Amino acid sequence: MTNQNVVVPDTIGIAIPAVTNSTPLFPYPLPKAASSGFSVRRKFLPHLELGSNASRLNVWVDSMKASSPTHAKASAALAASHSDTGPTWMMRQPSALSMFGEITRASKGKQIVMFLDYDGTLSPIVDDPDRAFMSDAMRDAVRDVARYFPTAIVSGRCLDKVYNFVKLAELCYAGSHGMDIKVPANRPSFMKANAKAVLCQPASKYLPMIGKVYKILLETTKSTPGAKVENNKFCLSVHFRCVNEKRWSDLAEQVKLVLEEYPKLKLTLGRKVLEIRPTIKWDKGKAMEFLLESLGFANCKDVFPVYIGDDRTDEDAFKVLKDRGQGFGILVSKIPKETNASYSLQEPSENNIKQNGLETQD
Protein backbone atom coordinates (compact mmCIF):
# COMPACT_ATOMS: atom_id res chain seq x y z
CA MET A 1 0.00 0.00 0.00
CA THR A 2 1.15 3.52 -0.70
CA ASN A 3 2.30 5.85 2.03
CA GLN A 4 2.62 8.96 -0.11
CA ASN A 5 0.81 11.94 1.42
CA VAL A 6 -1.23 9.81 3.76
CA VAL A 7 -2.62 11.52 6.85
CA VAL A 8 -3.82 9.17 9.55
CA PRO A 9 -5.65 10.71 12.54
CA ASP A 10 -6.30 8.81 15.74
CA THR A 11 -7.85 5.38 15.37
CA ILE A 12 -11.52 5.12 16.18
CA GLY A 13 -12.92 1.98 17.74
CA ILE A 14 -16.36 1.30 16.31
CA ALA A 15 -18.18 -1.93 15.57
CA ILE A 16 -20.03 -2.54 12.30
CA PRO A 17 -23.51 -4.05 12.55
CA ALA A 18 -23.81 -7.70 11.59
CA VAL A 19 -24.92 -8.48 8.07
CA THR A 20 -28.45 -9.73 7.63
CA ASN A 21 -30.03 -11.08 4.49
CA SER A 22 -33.02 -8.74 4.82
CA THR A 23 -31.02 -5.78 3.53
CA PRO A 24 -30.30 -5.22 -0.16
CA LEU A 25 -26.86 -5.95 -1.59
CA PHE A 26 -27.20 -3.34 -4.30
CA PRO A 27 -27.65 0.43 -3.93
CA TYR A 28 -29.80 0.68 -7.02
CA PRO A 29 -32.39 -1.45 -8.76
CA LEU A 30 -31.35 -4.63 -10.47
CA PRO A 31 -32.51 -5.24 -14.04
CA LYS A 32 -35.07 -7.67 -15.25
CA ALA A 33 -33.72 -10.90 -16.67
CA ALA A 34 -31.62 -10.08 -19.71
CA SER A 35 -32.82 -11.06 -23.14
CA SER A 36 -30.92 -12.19 -26.19
CA GLY A 37 -30.20 -10.07 -29.25
CA PHE A 38 -27.48 -7.90 -27.75
CA SER A 39 -25.39 -5.77 -30.08
CA VAL A 40 -21.69 -6.38 -29.63
CA ARG A 41 -18.82 -3.93 -29.66
CA ARG A 42 -15.24 -4.55 -30.54
CA LYS A 43 -12.74 -4.74 -27.70
CA PHE A 44 -10.62 -1.61 -27.57
CA LEU A 45 -7.07 -1.14 -26.35
CA PRO A 46 -6.77 -0.26 -22.66
CA HIS A 47 -3.61 1.76 -23.30
CA LEU A 48 -3.04 3.49 -26.63
CA GLU A 49 0.47 3.83 -28.02
CA LEU A 50 1.66 7.33 -28.79
CA GLY A 51 3.22 6.49 -32.15
CA SER A 52 3.47 9.06 -34.91
CA ASN A 53 2.51 7.02 -37.95
CA ALA A 54 -0.90 6.97 -39.59
CA SER A 55 -1.67 3.36 -38.71
CA ARG A 56 -1.41 4.05 -34.98
CA LEU A 57 -3.58 7.12 -35.34
CA ASN A 58 -6.15 4.91 -37.05
CA VAL A 59 -6.00 2.59 -34.05
CA TRP A 60 -6.84 5.57 -31.86
CA VAL A 61 -9.86 6.45 -33.98
CA ASP A 62 -11.06 2.85 -34.21
CA SER A 63 -10.76 2.56 -30.44
CA MET A 64 -12.69 5.80 -29.97
CA LYS A 65 -15.47 4.42 -32.18
CA ALA A 66 -15.48 1.15 -30.26
CA SER A 67 -15.83 3.01 -26.97
CA SER A 68 -19.33 4.06 -28.03
CA PRO A 69 -21.93 1.31 -27.42
CA THR A 70 -24.34 3.17 -29.67
CA HIS A 71 -22.04 3.44 -32.67
CA ALA A 72 -24.50 2.27 -35.32
CA LYS A 73 -22.17 0.86 -37.97
CA ALA A 74 -20.00 -1.03 -35.49
CA SER A 75 -23.02 -2.42 -33.66
CA ALA A 76 -24.69 -3.65 -36.82
CA ALA A 77 -21.56 -5.29 -38.22
CA LEU A 78 -20.55 -6.88 -34.97
CA ALA A 79 -24.04 -8.11 -34.17
CA ALA A 80 -24.16 -9.84 -37.54
CA SER A 81 -20.80 -11.56 -37.03
CA HIS A 82 -21.34 -12.46 -33.35
CA SER A 83 -25.02 -13.29 -33.13
CA ASP A 84 -24.43 -15.91 -30.45
CA THR A 85 -22.28 -13.70 -28.21
CA GLY A 86 -25.18 -12.33 -26.16
CA PRO A 87 -26.40 -15.67 -24.77
CA THR A 88 -22.81 -16.84 -24.21
CA TRP A 89 -21.98 -13.63 -22.35
CA MET A 90 -25.03 -13.98 -20.13
CA MET A 91 -23.91 -17.47 -19.22
CA ARG A 92 -20.52 -16.14 -18.14
CA GLN A 93 -21.81 -12.94 -16.50
CA PRO A 94 -25.45 -13.68 -15.64
CA SER A 95 -27.87 -11.05 -14.46
CA ALA A 96 -27.31 -10.20 -10.80
CA LEU A 97 -31.08 -10.13 -10.41
CA SER A 98 -31.60 -13.67 -11.65
CA MET A 99 -28.72 -14.84 -9.43
CA PHE A 100 -29.75 -12.79 -6.40
CA GLY A 101 -30.42 -15.85 -4.25
CA GLU A 102 -27.00 -17.29 -5.01
CA ILE A 103 -25.35 -13.96 -4.21
CA THR A 104 -27.06 -13.59 -0.84
CA ARG A 105 -26.12 -17.16 0.09
CA ALA A 106 -22.48 -16.49 -0.79
CA SER A 107 -22.43 -13.39 1.42
CA LYS A 108 -24.18 -14.95 4.40
CA GLY A 109 -22.24 -14.45 7.63
CA LYS A 110 -19.74 -12.13 5.95
CA GLN A 111 -19.20 -8.38 6.12
CA ILE A 112 -20.24 -6.81 2.84
CA VAL A 113 -18.31 -3.72 1.73
CA MET A 114 -19.77 -1.81 -1.22
CA PHE A 115 -17.70 -0.04 -3.92
CA LEU A 116 -19.60 1.99 -6.52
CA ASP A 117 -18.52 3.76 -9.67
CA TYR A 118 -20.45 6.97 -10.36
CA ASP A 119 -20.95 7.81 -14.05
CA GLY A 120 -22.98 5.13 -15.80
CA THR A 121 -23.55 3.31 -12.51
CA LEU A 122 -25.25 5.72 -10.12
CA SER A 123 -26.03 8.28 -12.80
CA PRO A 124 -26.80 7.99 -16.51
CA ILE A 125 -24.17 8.81 -19.13
CA VAL A 126 -25.07 12.26 -20.49
CA ASP A 127 -23.72 14.59 -23.17
CA ASP A 128 -22.62 17.24 -20.66
CA PRO A 129 -20.47 15.65 -17.91
CA ASP A 130 -21.26 18.57 -15.61
CA ARG A 131 -24.91 17.53 -15.63
CA ALA A 132 -24.48 13.85 -14.74
CA PHE A 133 -26.81 14.13 -11.77
CA MET A 134 -27.97 11.12 -9.80
CA SER A 135 -31.66 10.95 -8.99
CA ASP A 136 -33.02 11.55 -5.50
CA ALA A 137 -34.26 7.95 -5.47
CA MET A 138 -30.75 6.69 -6.26
CA ARG A 139 -29.26 8.87 -3.52
CA ASP A 140 -31.80 7.51 -1.02
CA ALA A 141 -30.93 3.96 -2.07
CA VAL A 142 -27.20 4.56 -1.57
CA ARG A 143 -27.90 6.17 1.80
CA ASP A 144 -29.93 3.13 2.84
CA VAL A 145 -27.17 0.72 1.80
CA ALA A 146 -24.59 2.76 3.74
CA ARG A 147 -26.67 2.29 6.89
CA TYR A 148 -25.80 -1.40 6.82
CA PHE A 149 -22.54 -1.72 4.89
CA PRO A 150 -19.35 0.36 4.60
CA THR A 151 -19.78 2.09 1.23
CA ALA A 152 -17.32 3.88 -1.04
CA ILE A 153 -17.65 5.81 -4.30
CA VAL A 154 -14.73 5.12 -6.67
CA SER A 155 -14.78 7.48 -9.65
CA GLY A 156 -12.66 9.04 -12.35
CA ARG A 157 -14.06 12.41 -11.31
CA CYS A 158 -12.11 14.58 -8.91
CA LEU A 159 -13.06 13.91 -5.30
CA ASP A 160 -14.79 17.25 -4.71
CA LYS A 161 -16.86 16.97 -7.87
CA VAL A 162 -18.12 13.45 -7.21
CA TYR A 163 -18.89 14.39 -3.61
CA ASN A 164 -20.97 17.34 -4.82
CA PHE A 165 -22.90 14.95 -7.06
CA VAL A 166 -23.52 12.32 -4.37
CA LYS A 167 -23.85 14.63 -1.35
CA LEU A 168 -23.56 11.89 1.28
CA ALA A 169 -20.97 12.69 3.95
CA GLU A 170 -21.11 9.23 5.51
CA LEU A 171 -19.44 7.54 2.53
CA CYS A 172 -15.79 6.99 1.61
CA TYR A 173 -14.70 8.66 -1.62
CA ALA A 174 -11.94 7.80 -4.08
CA GLY A 175 -11.70 10.35 -6.88
CA SER A 176 -9.33 10.66 -9.85
CA HIS A 177 -9.51 6.91 -10.55
CA GLY A 178 -8.55 6.20 -6.96
CA MET A 179 -5.67 8.67 -6.71
CA ASP A 180 -7.50 10.91 -4.24
CA ILE A 181 -8.96 8.93 -1.32
CA LYS A 182 -10.76 10.20 1.73
CA VAL A 183 -12.06 8.02 4.56
CA PRO A 184 -14.14 9.96 7.10
CA ALA A 185 -13.07 10.01 10.75
CA ASN A 186 -16.44 10.31 12.42
CA ARG A 187 -18.81 7.90 10.67
CA PRO A 188 -19.64 5.10 13.12
CA SER A 189 -21.37 2.83 10.61
CA PHE A 190 -18.13 2.58 8.63
CA MET A 191 -15.47 1.67 11.09
CA LYS A 192 -14.03 -1.44 12.64
CA ALA A 193 -11.93 -1.21 15.79
CA ASN A 194 -8.71 -0.86 13.79
CA ALA A 195 -10.10 1.49 11.13
CA LYS A 196 -8.49 4.84 10.41
CA ALA A 197 -9.50 8.18 9.00
CA VAL A 198 -7.28 8.60 5.93
CA LEU A 199 -6.38 11.00 3.17
CA CYS A 200 -4.33 9.31 0.43
CA GLN A 201 -2.98 11.11 -2.66
CA PRO A 202 -0.27 8.92 -4.26
CA ALA A 203 0.04 11.11 -7.38
CA SER A 204 0.41 14.48 -5.67
CA LYS A 205 3.81 15.23 -7.23
CA TYR A 206 2.17 15.17 -10.67
CA LEU A 207 -0.22 18.02 -9.91
CA PRO A 208 1.91 20.78 -11.52
CA MET A 209 2.37 18.69 -14.68
CA ILE A 210 -1.33 17.84 -14.91
CA GLY A 211 -2.26 21.49 -14.43
CA LYS A 212 0.09 22.50 -17.23
CA VAL A 213 -1.21 19.84 -19.64
CA TYR A 214 -4.79 20.85 -18.81
CA LYS A 215 -4.13 24.43 -19.93
CA ILE A 216 -2.41 23.22 -23.11
CA LEU A 217 -5.29 20.88 -23.99
CA LEU A 218 -7.88 23.60 -23.35
CA GLU A 219 -6.16 25.76 -25.94
CA THR A 220 -5.33 22.94 -28.36
CA THR A 221 -8.83 21.44 -28.52
CA LYS A 222 -10.59 24.76 -29.13
CA SER A 223 -10.51 23.97 -32.84
CA THR A 224 -12.60 20.83 -32.32
CA PRO A 225 -16.27 21.75 -31.77
CA GLY A 226 -17.89 19.75 -28.98
CA ALA A 227 -14.64 18.67 -27.32
CA LYS A 228 -14.54 19.23 -23.57
CA VAL A 229 -11.47 18.98 -21.36
CA GLU A 230 -12.21 18.23 -17.71
CA ASN A 231 -9.68 18.69 -14.91
CA ASN A 232 -10.17 15.90 -12.38
CA LYS A 233 -7.21 17.02 -10.24
CA PHE A 234 -4.93 13.97 -10.59
CA CYS A 235 -6.10 13.09 -14.10
CA LEU A 236 -7.64 14.77 -17.13
CA SER A 237 -10.61 13.77 -19.27
CA VAL A 238 -11.07 14.77 -22.90
CA HIS A 239 -14.74 14.16 -23.71
CA PHE A 240 -15.66 13.59 -27.36
CA ARG A 241 -19.31 12.54 -26.95
CA CYS A 242 -20.45 15.78 -28.62
CA VAL A 243 -17.75 15.81 -31.29
CA ASN A 244 -18.70 15.00 -34.88
CA GLU A 245 -17.24 11.60 -35.72
CA LYS A 246 -15.46 13.09 -38.73
CA ARG A 247 -13.40 15.19 -36.31
CA TRP A 248 -12.36 12.34 -34.01
CA SER A 249 -9.09 11.76 -35.86
CA ASP A 250 -8.23 15.47 -35.53
CA LEU A 251 -8.92 15.34 -31.80
CA ALA A 252 -6.88 12.16 -31.38
CA GLU A 253 -3.96 13.78 -33.20
CA GLN A 254 -4.19 16.90 -31.01
CA VAL A 255 -4.08 14.88 -27.78
CA LYS A 256 -1.33 12.62 -29.13
CA LEU A 257 0.94 15.53 -29.99
CA VAL A 258 0.53 17.06 -26.53
CA LEU A 259 1.25 13.83 -24.67
CA GLU A 260 4.38 13.09 -26.68
CA GLU A 261 6.02 15.81 -24.60
CA TYR A 262 4.93 14.20 -21.33
CA PRO A 263 6.09 10.56 -21.13
CA LYS A 264 5.12 10.36 -17.46
CA LEU A 265 1.46 10.57 -18.45
CA LYS A 266 -0.49 7.73 -20.06
CA LEU A 267 -3.70 7.57 -22.07
CA THR A 268 -6.61 5.21 -21.49
CA LEU A 269 -10.02 5.12 -23.11
CA GLY A 270 -13.45 5.20 -21.50
CA ARG A 271 -16.96 5.69 -22.81
CA LYS A 272 -16.43 8.48 -25.35
CA VAL A 273 -13.71 9.97 -23.18
CA LEU A 274 -9.91 9.96 -23.38
CA GLU A 275 -8.39 9.69 -19.89
CA ILE A 276 -4.93 11.10 -19.16
CA ARG A 277 -3.29 9.82 -15.97
CA PRO A 278 0.15 9.58 -14.35
CA THR A 279 2.07 6.40 -15.12
CA ILE A 280 2.20 5.33 -11.47
CA LYS A 281 1.07 1.82 -10.60
CA TRP A 282 -2.23 2.89 -9.12
CA ASP A 283 -5.78 2.29 -10.30
CA LYS A 284 -9.27 1.58 -9.00
CA GLY A 285 -8.19 -1.90 -7.93
CA LYS A 286 -5.35 -0.51 -5.82
CA ALA A 287 -7.74 2.08 -4.40
CA MET A 288 -10.21 -0.62 -3.40
CA GLU A 289 -7.47 -2.59 -1.62
CA PHE A 290 -6.32 0.58 0.14
CA LEU A 291 -9.85 1.30 1.30
CA LEU A 292 -10.34 -2.24 2.60
CA GLU A 293 -7.15 -1.86 4.62
CA SER A 294 -8.14 1.58 5.90
CA LEU A 295 -11.53 0.22 6.97
CA GLY A 296 -9.85 -2.56 8.92
CA PHE A 297 -10.46 -5.46 6.52
CA ALA A 298 -6.93 -6.02 5.18
CA ASN A 299 -6.53 -9.53 6.61
CA CYS A 300 -10.19 -10.29 7.18
CA LYS A 301 -11.27 -13.73 5.91
CA ASP A 302 -14.98 -13.05 6.11
CA VAL A 303 -15.11 -9.74 4.23
CA PHE A 304 -17.26 -9.72 1.08
CA PRO A 305 -16.40 -6.78 -1.23
CA VAL A 306 -18.88 -5.94 -3.98
CA TYR A 307 -17.75 -3.59 -6.74
CA ILE A 308 -20.25 -2.22 -9.27
CA GLY A 309 -19.06 -0.30 -12.32
CA ASP A 310 -19.56 0.17 -16.05
CA ASP A 311 -16.25 1.29 -17.49
CA ARG A 312 -12.91 -0.15 -18.62
CA THR A 313 -11.23 1.48 -15.60
CA ASP A 314 -13.43 -0.60 -13.29
CA GLU A 315 -11.91 -3.77 -14.70
CA ASP A 316 -8.85 -3.28 -12.46
CA ALA A 317 -11.10 -3.63 -9.42
CA PHE A 318 -12.98 -6.58 -10.93
CA LYS A 319 -9.67 -8.37 -11.50
CA VAL A 320 -8.50 -7.76 -7.92
CA LEU A 321 -11.67 -9.37 -6.56
CA LYS A 322 -11.36 -12.28 -8.97
CA ASP A 323 -7.73 -12.86 -7.96
CA ARG A 324 -8.54 -12.55 -4.23
CA GLY A 325 -11.41 -15.00 -4.47
CA GLN A 326 -13.44 -12.71 -2.22
CA GLY A 327 -16.64 -10.96 -3.18
CA PHE A 328 -17.38 -10.20 -6.82
CA GLY A 329 -17.67 -7.52 -9.46
CA ILE A 330 -20.84 -6.49 -11.27
CA LEU A 331 -20.60 -4.90 -14.71
CA VAL A 332 -23.30 -2.37 -15.63
CA SER A 333 -23.88 -2.71 -19.37
CA LYS A 334 -26.63 -3.32 -21.89
CA ILE A 335 -24.23 -5.02 -24.27
CA PRO A 336 -21.70 -7.86 -24.02
CA LYS A 337 -18.17 -6.85 -23.03
CA GLU A 338 -15.00 -8.70 -22.15
CA THR A 339 -14.87 -8.42 -18.36
CA ASN A 340 -13.52 -9.84 -15.12
CA ALA A 341 -16.85 -9.18 -13.41
CA SER A 342 -18.91 -12.14 -12.18
CA TYR A 343 -22.37 -10.69 -12.83
CA SER A 344 -24.02 -8.01 -14.93
CA LEU A 345 -26.72 -5.37 -14.69
CA GLN A 346 -28.31 -3.07 -17.25
CA GLU A 347 -28.11 0.71 -17.28
CA PRO A 348 -29.39 2.23 -14.01
CA SER A 349 -31.89 4.49 -15.76
CA GLU A 350 -33.89 1.45 -16.97
CA ASN A 351 -34.39 -0.02 -13.52
CA ASN A 352 -36.73 0.64 -10.63
CA ILE A 353 -36.17 -0.43 -7.04
CA LYS A 354 -39.81 -0.82 -6.12
CA GLN A 355 -40.64 -2.76 -9.28
CA ASN A 356 -38.00 -5.30 -8.39
CA GLY A 357 -39.07 -5.46 -4.75
CA LEU A 358 -35.58 -4.71 -3.46
CA GLU A 359 -36.24 -1.62 -1.39
CA THR A 360 -34.44 -1.48 1.94
CA GLN A 361 -36.01 -3.38 4.79
CA ASP A 362 -35.28 -2.44 8.39
Side-chain angles (χ1 to χ4, degrees), residues 97-292:
L97 176 60
S98 64
M99 303 301 290
F100 192 70
E102 176 179 302
I103 293 170
T104 55
R105 286 191 295 273
S107 64
K108 186 175 182 180
K110 299 179 181 180
Q111 175 59 64
I112 295 170
V113 183
M114 297 295 303
F115 297 92
L116 309 168
D117 180 33
Y118 183 75
D119 292 276
T121 302
L122 299 180
S123 73
I125 297 293
V126 295
D127 289 343
D128 184 354
D130 292 332
R131 299 190 62 80
F133 303 120
M134 67 189 300
S135 66
D136 290 338
M138 186 70 77
R139 183 175 294 104
D140 289 342
V142 175
R143 183 186 292 112
D144 285 342
V145 167
R147 291 171 56 197
Y148 297 96
F149 313 130
T151 302
I153 307 297
V154 186
S155 173
R157 304 280 194 144
C158 70
L159 191 150
D160 290 342
K161 186 173 292 185
V162 74
Y163 177 82
N164 287 332
F165 276 134
V166 179
K167 299 177 181 177
L168 294 175
E170 62 267 31
L171 309 184
C172 295
Y173 289 87
S176 302
H177 294 291
M179 290 180 285
D180 195 3
I181 300 175
K182 185 175 182 180
V183 179
N186 57 344
R187 304 300 169 189
S189 64
F190 269 61
M191 304 293 183
K192 280 191 71 173
N194 58 337
K196 306 176 182 70
V198 172
L199 176 64
C200 173
Q201 297 177 331
S204 59
K205 71 177 183 179
Y206 292 90
L207 276 176
M209 180 188 298
I210 292 170
K212 184 177 180 180
V213 173
Y214 172 64
K215 292 179 181 179
I216 295 172
L217 286 174
L218 276 180
E219 188 64 29
T220 302
T221 59
K222 281 183 178 179
S223 60
T224 305
K228 181 180 178 63
V229 183
E230 183 180 14
N231 189 338
N232 286 309
K233 190 170 183 177
F234 295 103
C235 59
L236 302 173
S237 300
V238 181
H239 300 273
F240 58 92
R241 183 169 297 275
C242 295
V243 175
N244 188 304
E245 187 178 324
K246 294 180 181 179
R247 302 295 299 271
W248 287 3
S249 60
D250 294 337
L251 181 63
E253 177 68 14
Q254 290 169 346
V255 176
K256 177 182 73 69
L257 290 175
V258 171
L259 293 187
E260 283 180 348
E261 302 298 321
Y262 296 91
K264 292 185 178 180
L265 297 179
K266 65 180 179 181
L267 183 72
T268 59
L269 187 61
R271 295 175 65 175
K272 285 198 174 179
V273 60
L274 297 169
E275 303 277 8
I276 299 164
R277 293 187 275 170
T279 55
I280 63 172
K281 294 182 179 180
W282 195 266
D283 50 41
K284 289 185 176 183
K286 295 286 188 184
M288 180 179 64
E289 290 183 306
F290 183 90
L291 282 165
L292 285 170

